[in-house]
Amino acid sequence: EAFVRLYQQGFIYRGEYLVNWCPASGSAVSDLEVEMKEEDGHLWYFRYPLKGETSKEGVTHLEVATTRPETMLGDVAVAVNPSDERYSHLVGRQLIVPFTGREIPVIADAHVDKEFGTGCVKVTPAHDPNDFEIGQRHGLPQITVMNKDGTMNNFAGCFEGLDRFEARKEVVALLEKDGLLSKVQPHRHSVPYSDRGKVPIEPLLSTQWFVRMEPLAARCREHLDKGAPNFVPQRWEKDYRDWLTDIRDWCISRQLWWGHRIPAWFVVSETDNQITNATPFVVARSKDEAFSQARSQFGEGARLTQDSDVLDTWFSSGLWPFSTLGWPE
């Protein structure tokens, strides 16, 4: 009932976005299920050759620094800060992605920290939350180079089939062999781990169910400004407000075998049960209601298969007070 009402009111939707993906459990996980661990890693510095003629200033390449060189196979741009005079003359020029031969542009984005690394940032929208935002601002394509089991896919070229960490070693070795690896620095940084799977999570593009959070959070902030709820002690009001500020849409679908199954049915053909991003669906309180909707929209011969995903535990547990108090009756 709650899912259907929120869907009908436009708060729940299905879409493809970057999520925290756990390769071990094969499921999306929430931000609260991601544990940050400090680890000793490396910063790998490597060069992107400039396409065409050397610049007037004698520049033949741009150098980037990254902790995840395996994702460079999905790079779609290199970003620099708009105020960085070292690179402003190169904005708009094309670079060549090593091993793939793809051409990618040099773009200017204020997110780039001029002081970190070389001041040049590789942009991989399908594998990094910050890069995803940059990609949205600049209309960049999204290239996923990894399967959901943590191995490299066909877009990874000669690295296809390798585990992501094995691919990292191979990419670095080939960069060094081709003379594109500049240096390697020790680097202690925070690595996001899946609390459920106990492995580093992978930001991946995935089609999931989401709740639009900002309209709901805005209503809560309005009440908070009027003193409701009243926190005792009052210091917890700040934590509550922080939770409601700069909030992202909530991924509520999980690829697990337990939980409340999502009440959505896909309309499939007689010969193919494959579910894609374009497969039509209906959201209903029961299978009978779903069939009624589907027949009215797609004809008497409509065939249905229910979404196999289940609801995030926190969405389900949030229904507990409603259920125990007899809602909606």
Side-chain angles (χ1 to χ4, degrees):
E1 182 66 33
F3 188 98
V4 170
R5 289 196 189 195
L6 288 169
Y7 175 77
Q8 290 174 344
Q9 293 168 13
F11 290 115
I12 285 181
Y13 65 95
R14 186 171 182 260
E16 184 181 49
Y17 291 94
L18 208 64
V19 299
N20 301 315
W21 186 262
C22 173
S25 61
S27 175
V29 298
S30 79
D31 290 348
L32 292 175
E33 295 172 288
V34 175
E35 180 185 1
M36 302 305 293
K37 293 185 179 181
E38 285 286 321
E39 290 187 353
D40 291 320
H42 297 88
L43 265 179
W44 287 273
Y45 291 74
F46 64 92
R47 305 184 185 96
Y48 277 102
L50 194 67
K51 183 194 175 187
E53 298 179 2
T54 301
S55 74
K56 295 179 181 178
E57 293 75 14
V59 177
T60 60
H61 63 269
L62 282 185
E63 187 175 84
V64 302
T66 181
T67 59
R68 303 174 68 212
E70 68 280 7
T71 63
M72 54 98 52
L73 302 163
D75 285 356
V76 296
V78 168
V80 299
N81 192 287
S83 63
D84 196 334
E85 296 179 356
R86 295 173 296 174
Y87 306 116
S88 57
H89 63 288
L90 294 173
V91 173
R93 291 289 300 270
Q94 297 289 309
L95 303 170
I96 307 297
V97 179
F99 318 139
T100 71
R102 284 191 295 106
E103 297 179 13
I104 61 174
V106 180
I107 63 173
D109 193 277
H111 170 76
V112 179
D113 182 357
K114 293 189 292 185
E115 308 304 321
F116 182 77
T118 64
C120 299
V121 174
K122 59 190 284 302
V123 181
T124 322
H127 290 277
D128 182 89
N130 293 322
D131 292 3
F132 182 81
E133 298 295 334
I134 292 175
Q136 295 291 98
R137 288 194 289 272
H138 295 268
L140 298 173
Q142 299 167 334
I143 302 177
T144 301
V145 296
M146 211 172 289
N147 298 311
K148 288 185 175 179
D149 63 356
T151 59
M152 308 304 288
N153 66 19
N154 60 310
F155 288 105
C158 62
F159 305 99
E160 181 180 2
L162 292 177
D163 173 79
R164 52 182 171 160
F165 299 115
E166 187 61 32
R168 178 178 298 177
K169 297 175 185 176
E170 295 293 328
V171 167
V172 170
L174 200 51
L175 285 169
E176 185 172 27
K177 179 183 177 182
D178 291 351
L180 296 172
L181 186 68
S182 306
K183 60 180 177 180
V184 182
Q185 284 184 341
H187 180 63
R188 189 162 181 81
H189 61 135
S190 293
V191 178
Y193 271 74
S194 165
D195 183 58
R196 178 179 288 122
K198 310 303 180 186
V199 299
I201 65 107
E202 193 63 43
L204 276 184
L205 282 175
S206 181
T207 300
Q208 304 282 347
W209 293 91
F210 294 86
V211 176
R212 297 187 199 280
M213 295 306 297
E214 178 51 33
L216 299 171
R219 290 171 59 184
C220 294
R221 292 196 301 267
E222 288 174 14
H223 284 278
L224 186 59
D225 290 339
K226 299 173 184 175
N230 178 38
F231 283 90
V232 180
Q234 192 176 6
R235 68 175 183 272
W236 291 108
E237 180 182 312
K238 181 182 183 304
D239 283 23
Y240 180 60
R241 189 180 294 276
D242 287 345
W243 292 341
L244 300 171
T245 305
D246 296 327
I247 195 168
R248 293 189 301 168
D249 285 0
W250 176 14
C251 175
I252 59 169
S253 46
R254 298 289 180 267
Q255 293 66 52
L256 303 171
W257 286 107
W258 56 89
H260 289 127
R261 195 169 179 182
I262 287 177
W265 283 261
F266 294 100
V267 183
V268 295
S269 69
E270 292 185 8
T271 57
D272 186 10
N273 282 334
Q274 179 109 15
I275 308 298
T276 70
N277 290 352
T279 304
F281 61 86
V282 294
V283 171
R285 294 168 178 81
S286 66
K287 189 172 184 179
D288 287 343
E289 185 179 306
F291 265 116
S292 177
Q293 283 189 43
R295 288 178 183 129
S296 65
Q297 294 180 49
F298 304 101
E300 288 298 320
R303 296 178 67 252
L304 299 182
T305 182
Q306 188 174 354
D307 195 328
S308 59
D309 287 359
V310 298
L311 288 168
D312 172 26
T313 301
W314 277 285
F315 188 99
S316 292
S317 61
L319 302 176
W320 181 84
F322 298 100
S323 177
T324 57
L325 295 173
W327 183 87
E329 288 78 22

